[in-house]
Amino acid sequence: MSEMLGLDFMRNALLAALFVGLAAPMVGIFLVQRRLSLIGDGLGHVALAGVAVGVLTGQAPVLTALVTAALAAVVIEVVRARGRTTGDVALALMFYGGIAAGVVIINRSEGGRTGSLNGYLFGAITTTSREDLVVFGLLSAVIVAITLVLRPRLFAVAGDEEYARASGLPVLALNILLGVLTAVTVVVAMRVIGLLLISALMIIPNAAAQQVSGSFRSATAWAVLFGVASSVGGVALSYRLDTATGGTIVLLTIAVFALAMAAGAAVRALARRRHRLAERHAHEHGPGCGHEAIPHGDHVDYLHDGHRHAAHEGHYDEHSDDPLDHSPAEPDAQEVRP
Ligand SMILES: [Zn+2]
Ligand SMILES: [Zn+2]
Ligand SMILES: [Zn+2]
Ligand SMILES: [Zn+2]
């Protein structure tokens, strides 16, 4: 570990991974909510064309990729706002066009070599320079700040566009903002895990978080924790095992997802085993039945001889303040609201 931290390029790599692991899930959660999980993938394809333009013209590829991907994000949102059917095709055209243009342009600039694109497609984290790091750090800070400040609004729009529009939110502007944030995330991540794999770090930590958490607030915290653990852990692991960094990070996120799924299932099974029946009684609890009513999550418990009884499928359960006593039936993560 200390040997790894003693290397300049590894320190840079671990820091870059920390930035990406933090920012990617925070943007990704809104993409998952909007059911646009693959848009980061598409913008990654488009950013490749931007990288190629940078290589051809001698500009910084990070900058040209950022501009190209952000422009594409704006176009996608405007097209989507005009109608869904043609929007899908427009998206597909843009994604294929992005990667095709990238390959064509890079070949012109280097006399037929596409090898130089590999680092951008699959990540080349150990080439992260100090200047890159400063740019990535600033961009990540912007992403985190904006998603935190605008979270209620972004969430409202991601959850139900019609309702958000009816309540006066600038839906198109917020969607464009989310698209641009996605584009920025893609570019920040391109050195770390590559343009073809970045989407994984936006989506999978959120999917894993939904396995272990019921509320939106804690789901975000879990997602960021999973994201950082996967990206930083992936960099360290790839150094130790001498494997490709981007691929290692993504495989690690998938492992984390599998663990989270197992943990979530175990907790739910435990809660089911805790299901305790109250003694049978003829008395039927209800409003004004004479027992104190105690609101408990999505239902009401009634205080009966010192026990809390909750109606459940034709019988009564024993409840208490222990969260395991009250596990809501399979929380549907899509329904979770802030
Ligand atoms: Zn009663
Ligand atoms: Zn209860
Ligand atoms: Zn009772
Ligand atoms: Zn029951």
Side-chain angles (χ1 to χ4, degrees), residues 51-273:
V51 167
V53 169
V55 172
L56 184 70
T57 59
Q59 304 287 324
V62 169
L63 185 71
T64 49
L66 189 62
V67 171
T68 314
L71 274 177
V74 173
V75 171
I76 288 167
E77 283 310 328
V78 171
V79 168
R80 268 174 48 83
R82 286 171 177 235
R84 196 164 272 267
T85 333
T86 53
D88 263 4
V89 177
L91 284 188
L93 288 176
M94 186 171 279
F95 298 165
Y96 303 139
I99 212 148
V103 170
V104 167
I105 295 171
I106 204 84
N107 273 353
R108 273 200 71 77
S109 68
E110 310 214 348
R113 288 197 303 118
T114 46
S116 59
L117 286 184
N118 267 351
Y120 294 99
L121 285 174
F122 301 108
I125 193 170
T126 49
T127 62
T128 307
S129 68
R130 197 148 282 270
E131 296 80 64
D132 285 343
L133 210 54
V134 173
V135 174
F136 292 167
L138 284 174
L139 291 177
S140 305
V142 168
I143 293 168
V144 170
I146 292 182
T147 49
L148 281 181
V149 169
L150 291 180
R151 187 150 104 157
R153 271 162 246 219
L154 286 170
F155 219 100
V157 172
D160 187 343
E161 252 178 48
E162 291 309 314
Y163 180 75
R165 192 170 286 117
S167 40
L169 284 175
V171 171
L172 182 61
L174 285 167
N175 278 341
I176 287 178
L177 178 70
L178 180 61
V180 172
L181 286 177
T182 309
V184 174
T185 310
V186 163
V187 172
V188 171
M190 94 186 160
R191 279 276 181 216
V192 180
I193 75 172
L195 293 171
L196 289 187
L197 292 175
I198 166 55
S199 203
L201 200 56
M202 292 199 238
I203 304 309
I204 301 174
N206 282 301
Q210 291 179 346
Q211 297 294 321
V212 293
S213 143
S215 80
F216 173 68
R217 192 168 292 276
S218 71
T220 309
W222 279 108
V224 168
L225 180 75
F226 290 156
V228 168
S230 305
S231 59
V232 174
V235 168
L237 199 64
S238 75
Y239 173 76
R240 182 121 309 181
L241 303 178
D242 195 20
T243 50
T245 309
T248 308
I249 291 173
V250 173
L251 289 177
L252 202 54
T253 42
I254 293 173
V256 166
F257 175 76
L259 281 179
M261 212 161 82
V267 167
R268 282 190 292 272
L270 196 60
R272 264 197 303 280
R273 201 166 316 141

Side-chain angles (χ1 to χ4, degrees), residues 306-321:
H307 294 261
R308 284 165 59 166
H309 289 171
H312 178 225
E313 292 177 355
H315 57 264
Y316 286 97
D317 291 352
E318 287 282 354
H319 277 193
S320 69
D321 273 332

